[in-house]
Amino acid sequence: MDQLNADLKVAIVHEWLESYAGSERVVGELLNVFPQAKVFSVVDFLSEKERAFLGGRKVTTSFIQKLPFARKHFRNYIGLMPIAIEQFDLSGFDLIFSSNHAVAKGIITGPDQYHISYVHSPMRYAWDMQAAYLRQSGLEKGAKGLFVRWLLHRLRNWDVRSAAGVDVFVANSCYIARRIKKVYRRDALVIHPPVDTDEFVPPTTAASRDAYLVAGRQVPYKRVDLVVEAFRRLPNQKLIVVGDGPENEKIRALAAGAPNIVLRGKVPHAELISLMQNARAFVFASEEDFGITLVEAQACGTPLVCFGKGGAADIVREEGDPEGETGILFQEQTPEAIIDAVNRFETLRGNMTSERCRQNALRFSRPAFREHIRKLADHVMAEGC
């Protein structure tokens, strides 16, 4: 760490600490860049086995930490979170990073402090996905539904107002940068989230590459059902399906009677890496903010066949790319579009070498993320915003 960054008094404000997932990886890498940083979070209910990325640091939490039933139901206090996040005393810090997908960017800072907000997404359920959230939660009608609509209206107003306190917005993909522009009318720098490309690596021996792979939690928006339906109509192509979830029965029913489709359920982490290393291509039909799993597959030397909206457009190099193609994008979430993409892939797959896929993934490595963050901090502190 250079001397400029070493002398900075840095705070990292995270939404909530419940499990170690994508946003927590970002916090972990920020702490690698700024080991002197203090961590703040609305609540901290991380288990001991998931706390390693914090390096033994004590987390400063808000009053919500001690409210009744907060451990299991802290999300029910979302209406209080704007007040909670505003109560953190950050007056002693030079640079504050907020890790935001709900309220973290709402911290209050002074004119001589710099606030960089790394946005995983603006509040989806309060903005363009409100209708889907209300529908899936059974809140489209009734008094409770009316209350939730009023609450989301209040959150939207606060969300826009609090954006004024951010000096630099950072988005995890071009897709999220567009959402930031739409919601806050602010430009955002894109710094992709860190992916562990040291753990996800190409196989040491020749890969079989005889089956396509789809993996992930089987929930409606992941659209695993579309992939299974497509491969029912591609009897000469084998598909391995990994994962479980609420859609599992539906997936099983779709796969019934299709000998080319193998359901593996939830598998150990090491086995998932092995399946990625040996897949013909990794198939993905969801619209994601970024898509860490896609980069993990590429790091294993595996091409992608995926829906071309969201973060996938940042990841996949298509035919004609000067760096060489690493996958196929399809533009509609339909079985027919997936079938067409698979057929196109079979024509072009010889160009999508394992080395090209691996090199593409390294753009999103942990060292690359740290270098981007370090340069941003240097620029902000040396030249202002």
Side-chain angles (χ1 to χ4, degrees):
M1 183 171 64
D2 57 51
Q3 191 57 44
L4 174 61
N5 286 345
D7 292 340
L8 284 177
K9 294 178 181 178
V10 180
I12 297 172
V13 183
H14 192 52
E15 221 83 67
W16 49 70
L17 292 165
E18 180 191 25
S19 62
Y20 182 68
S23 61
E24 287 73 30
R25 296 185 195 188
V26 169
V27 171
E29 293 304 326
L30 290 174
L31 289 171
N32 283 331
V33 178
F34 305 103
Q36 78 276 29
K38 306 294 185 183
V39 180
F40 297 77
S41 180
V42 172
V43 295
D44 176 12
F45 295 121
L46 273 175
S47 65
E48 286 303 318
K49 67 178 181 180
E50 293 184 299
R51 305 186 69 82
F53 74 99
L54 293 171
R57 293 173 180 83
K58 178 179 172 56
V59 177
T60 301
T61 58
S62 75
F63 66 85
I64 292 177
Q65 179 84 13
K66 296 182 179 180
L67 291 181
F69 313 110
R71 177 174 289 276
K72 289 188 177 181
H73 303 292
F74 65 86
R75 288 179 179 82
N76 291 345
Y77 292 116
I78 185 69
L80 294 176
M81 288 186 186
I83 299 172
I85 209 76
E86 291 172 348
Q87 303 314 305
F88 287 135
D89 180 7
L90 304 173
S91 57
F93 297 96
D94 305 309
L95 178 64
I96 299 98
F97 279 89
S98 60
S99 169
N100 182 85
H101 59 76
V103 300
K105 76 174 191 344
I107 52 174
I108 296 174
T109 57
D112 296 323
Q113 297 173 295
Y114 291 109
H115 174 193
I116 299 172
S117 186
Y118 189 94
V119 179
H120 309 282
S121 175
M123 278 189 255
R124 303 177 188 88
Y125 41 85
W127 291 100
D128 53 309
M129 294 185 70
Q130 174 184 280
Y133 166 74
L134 293 171
R135 183 170 56 253
Q136 292 170 10
S137 302
L139 295 170
E140 292 180 285
K141 300 178 181 178
K144 189 175 181 180
L146 184 62
F147 169 76
V148 171
R149 289 174 190 272
W150 171 82
L151 177 61
L152 293 176
H153 171 74
R154 293 288 300 270
L155 284 171
R156 279 192 294 274
N157 289 341
W158 175 86
D159 195 29
V160 172
R161 184 207 62 74
S162 65
V166 177
D167 294 300
V168 178
F169 274 106
V170 179
N172 67 357
S173 68
C174 293
Y175 172 64
I176 294 303
R178 292 195 299 273
R179 295 191 75 214
I180 290 169
K181 184 73 171 180
K182 184 74 171 181
V183 173
Y184 307 132
R185 297 299 176 187
R186 296 279 299 278
D187 292 325
L189 175 70
V190 175
I191 298 180
H192 298 108
V195 180
D196 193 346
T197 53
D198 291 335
E199 181 180 23
F200 291 83
V201 295
T204 54
T205 58
S208 57
R209 306 287 186 194
D210 62 344
Y212 289 83
L213 174 67
V214 58
R217 184 155 170 75
Q218 293 171 359
V219 292
Y221 89 93
K222 291 288 188 181
R223 304 317 312 265
V224 177
D225 59 324
L226 296 181
V227 179
V228 173
E229 177 59 35
F231 276 82
R232 279 179 57 88
R233 305 183 203 175
L234 291 166
N236 295 325
Q237 301 293 352
K238 183 179 177 181
L239 174 70
I240 297 175
V241 183
V242 171
D244 59 12
E247 293 261 288
N248 187 255
E249 276 192 35
K250 179 180 180 180
I251 301 302
R252 289 188 175 278
L254 284 171
N260 63 314
I261 300 175
V262 178
L263 304 180
R264 296 291 296 274
K266 190 174 182 179
V267 302
H269 185 65
E271 186 175 345
L272 175 61
I273 294 176
S274 177
L275 288 168
M276 283 184 173
Q277 290 172 332
N278 288 280
R280 196 174 187 86
F282 188 84
V283 188
F284 197 79
S286 174
E287 181 175 337
E288 296 282 357
D289 297 335
F290 176 61
I292 285 177
T293 308
L294 300 180
V295 179
E296 291 171 345
Q298 293 264 271
C300 291
T302 299
L304 302 171
V305 175
C306 54
F307 184 48
K309 301 292 177 66
D314 289 15
I315 298 169
V316 176
R317 295 193 185 279
E318 292 191 274
E319 184 180 9
D321 191 292
E323 299 294 327
E325 59 261 52
T326 66
I328 297 286
L329 296 176
F330 54 90
Q331 300 303 319
E332 295 180 354
Q333 288 176 305
T334 64
E336 292 76 17
I338 296 171
I339 291 168
D340 179 65
V342 170
N343 288 333
R344 283 190 289 133
F345 171 76
E346 288 296 326
T347 301
L348 298 169
R349 65 183 293 261
N351 299 332
M352 302 177 196
T353 64
S354 177
E355 179 59 25
R356 279 184 178 175
C357 293
R358 173 70 182 174
Q359 287 303 312
N360 183 42
L362 294 180
R363 295 189 291 141
F364 312 100
S365 68
R366 293 167 60 192
F369 176 86
R370 292 195 294 267
E371 183 61 20
H372 290 314
I373 291 294
R374 192 175 290 112
K375 286 181 177 179
L376 173 61
D378 287 347
H379 173 78
V380 168
M381 297 308 300
E383 301 183 27
C385 301

